Amino acid sequence: MKRTFSFGLWTIMHRGGDPFGAPTRGPRDPLDAISGLAAHGVQAFELHAEDLIPWGSRLAERDDLIRKARRRMEDTGVVCVACGSDMFVDPVFKDGGMVSNEARVRSLAIERYTAAIDVGHLLGAPLFNIWGGRDGAEVDAGRSPIDALKRLRDGFNALADYIARQGYAMRLSIEPKPNEPRGDLYLSTVGHVLGFIATLDHPERVGVVPELAHAALAGLNPAHEVAHALYAGKLFGIHLNAQRPLRFDQDLRFGGANLKDGFFVVKLLEEEDWPGPRTFDARPYRTTDEQGVWVFVEGCIRAYQILAEKVRQFRDDPEVRQILQDIKRWDTAEVDEAAEPGGAPRVFPYERLDHLVLEILMGTR
Ligand code: XUL
Ligand code: MN
C-alpha cells in the first residue's frame, strides 16, 4: 500500500513563538508552504481555513486565495486531506465556541465553522476536523458539563446537517484533547469522543482523529487510543507527533520522544492496512530556523518510514515469530492441559518479547 504523508500547514508556518517568548522565525506564505512540502516529498496537507484565508476576508479575496491555492495544488500534485478552523485564537471564543454560555457566541462558532467547511470543500478536502480548543472550562461552577455536551451535540448535528444540505462529499471528525489551552476540555479522549458520537443524529457521518501527544497528555497509551478508533470503524484521521509525559503540549517532531509508543502506533496502522493519510501535527523547535523547518519535515517522515521498516523486521524475526506462534497455540483446546489449574503454571515469554522490540528498535538485531 502506498502511504500518503501529510502535514498541518500550521506546523510549517509556525513561527516558533511560545507563551513565554516571541516568534523566532519569519512568516511563511501558505502557498510557499505547499510548494515546500511538495519539494520534500510530501503529498498532502491539512489546514485551518484561516491558515490560507485570514478571518474577515471578503468573499472576492477568499475566492482569489482559493484559486491560487488550487493552482498551486495542481502544479505540485499536493492534495488537501482535511480542513478545520483556528477560531480558538479569537478572543470572542475565550469561554468556548460551541459550548459558550452565550447563544450569540455559539451561533458565531457555527458560522465560523460553516465558513471553514466551505473553504475545505472548495479545496477538495474529504474531511472537516474539529479540535474545539476552547470548548472546555476552568470554572465548573460556571457551566454544567451536561449542558456543554448538549450544546456540543447540537453544534455537531448542525454542522453535519450543513454538510449534507450543501451536498459536500465531506465527513466530520473530532480531535480529542484532555486539556490545554483550557483547564479541562470536554471532548478529552478517543473514548469520550466515541461515546459522544453515539448521541448524534447521524453518528455515521462523524469520526475521530486521535493525536499521539493528546493521548500522552491524558496519561494514556496512544496505540490503545488509536485501536479504539479503528475498532469502532471511526479512525478518520491521525495526528502523529511526540510528547513527554507530565508536561505542556509539546508537539514534538514524530520520533522526538517515546519511540516505543510511536512503534506500536505505526505497527497498528500498518498491520491494519489503514488507508488514511499519515498527518504530522508537530512544531519545529523554537531554536529551528526557516530552513531547519524542512529538516523537521524530513525527520517526521523518515521516523515513520524507519518505524514501518522496524514493524516489518519484527514481523519477520524468527524468534519473534516462534514466540507469537506459541502464544497463539495457547488459544487452542489441545494445549490447555499444560496450563493452570492442575498443570504447570503458564510460562509467559513476555520479558524476551519486549526485549526483542528494544533490540529491533535499537538496530542491534
Ligand atoms: C492542538 C492541535 C491542533 C489541531 C488542529 O493541540 O492538535 O493543532 O490538530 O486545530
Ligand atoms: Mn492535532
Side-chain angles (χ1 to χ4, degrees):
M1 186 188 59
K2 175 106 180 61
R3 287 181 213 109
T4 299
F5 288 114
S6 139
F7 280 79
L9 278 193
W10 62 86
T11 68
I12 39 181
M13 291 167 69
H14 194 269
R15 300 187 52 199
D18 69 20
F20 297 93
T24 57
R25 292 185 288 273
R28 192 184 299 275
D29 177 76
L31 300 185
D32 292 345
I34 294 173
S35 301
L37 285 174
H40 292 84
V42 182
Q43 309 91 342
F45 67 89
E46 290 191 14
L47 82 167
H48 302 121
E50 300 86 348
D51 296 337
L52 178 67
I53 302 157
W55 180 247
S57 302
R58 287 196 311 274
L59 205 60
E61 290 164 339
R62 181 199 80 163
D63 289 346
D64 184 47
L65 285 165
I66 288 187
R67 218 178 356 261
K68 287 182 174 140
R70 288 190 64 107
R71 187 165 318 134
R72 189 65 62 100
M73 289 161 67
E74 273 156 32
D75 290 349
T76 55
V78 171
V79 297
C80 175
V81 288
C83 184
S85 166
D86 76 358
M87 53 180 265
F88 44 82
V89 299
D90 192 326
V92 75
F93 300 116
K94 62 188 171 206
D95 191 31
M98 286 191 194
V99 307
S100 170
N101 282 336
E102 294 179 76
R104 174 190 69 93
V105 174
R106 296 203 296 278
S107 301
L108 273 178
I110 296 302
E111 194 184 306
R112 184 89 177 230
Y113 279 135
T114 51
I117 286 171
D118 290 343
V119 170
H121 167 74
L122 292 167
L123 295 174
L127 185 68
F128 191 77
N129 179 46
I130 293 188
W131 169 64
R134 298 290 167 187
D135 285 339
E138 293 78 34
V139 180
D140 274 332
R143 174 170 45 236
S144 151
I146 301 284
D147 286 344
L149 290 169
K150 286 179 178 167
R151 289 171 186 167
L152 285 164
R153 178 198 61 200
D154 294 346
F156 278 97
N157 281 339
L159 296 181
D161 266 5
Y162 178 76
I163 292 172
R165 265 188 285 116
Q166 297 295 113
Y168 294 164
M170 186 189 265
R171 300 196 293 180
L172 257 181
S173 61
I174 302 174
E175 180 178 347
K177 186 176 182 184
N179 57 277
E180 220 193 287
R182 299 311 300 264
D184 295 286
L185 293 167
Y186 296 112
L187 296 173
S188 44
T189 71
V190 168
H192 290 79
V193 166
L194 292 178
F196 170 76
I197 289 172
T199 69
L200 299 177
D201 289 345
H202 292 284
E204 73 284 358
R205 297 181 190 165
V206 186
V208 60
V209 173
E211 173 170 315
L212 274 56
H214 298 175
L217 281 177
L220 296 172
N221 178 327
H224 291 199
E225 283 274 275
V226 175
H228 274 271
L230 276 167
Y231 172 70
K234 288 292 189 190
L235 189 69
F236 284 13
I238 190 161
H239 282 178
L240 298 162
N241 54 10
Q243 167 77 33
R244 300 182 71 194
L246 300 177
R247 282 167 174 77
F248 61 96
D249 183 17
Q250 292 179 299
D251 279 339
L252 300 173
R253 191 186 69 256
F254 188 56
N258 340 87
L259 276 187
K260 226 168 141 182
D261 282 347
F263 172 76
F264 283 107
V265 169
V266 171
K267 184 168 181 291
L268 206 51
L269 298 178
E270 297 297 307
E271 288 180 350
E272 296 297 317
D273 264 338
W274 184 67
R278 274 64 173 162
T279 298
F280 300 100
D281 181 10
R283 277 196 298 271
Y285 299 130
R286 190 159 183 269
T287 43
T288 299
D289 66 2
E290 283 83 356
Q291 264 317 101
V293 168
W294 303 113
V295 178
F296 156 87
V297 164
E298 284 166 357
C300 284
I301 294 176
R302 191 72 193 114
Y304 191 98
Q305 290 169 332
I306 292 169
L307 289 174
E309 180 49 40
K310 298 290 178 189
V311 168
R312 264 193 300 280
Q313 196 188 336
F314 179 84
R315 185 197 59 200
D316 296 340
D317 186 284
E319 192 178 349
V320 170
R321 286 172 78 99
Q322 186 59 57
I323 293 175
L324 293 180
Q325 266 167 29
D326 289 348
I327 291 175
K328 216 167 195 157
R329 278 186 25 246
W330 305 345
D331 202 31
T332 62
E334 305 87 84
V335 293
D336 268 357
E337 70 273 10
E340 294 174 283
R346 171 76 67 212
V347 177
F348 292 90
Y350 296 162
E351 297 282 4
R352 180 69 186 155
L353 191 58
D354 192 45
H355 179 72
L356 288 172
V357 171
L358 175 88
E359 294 264 0
I360 287 169
L361 284 178
M362 299 308 287
T364 47
R365 193 167 166 83

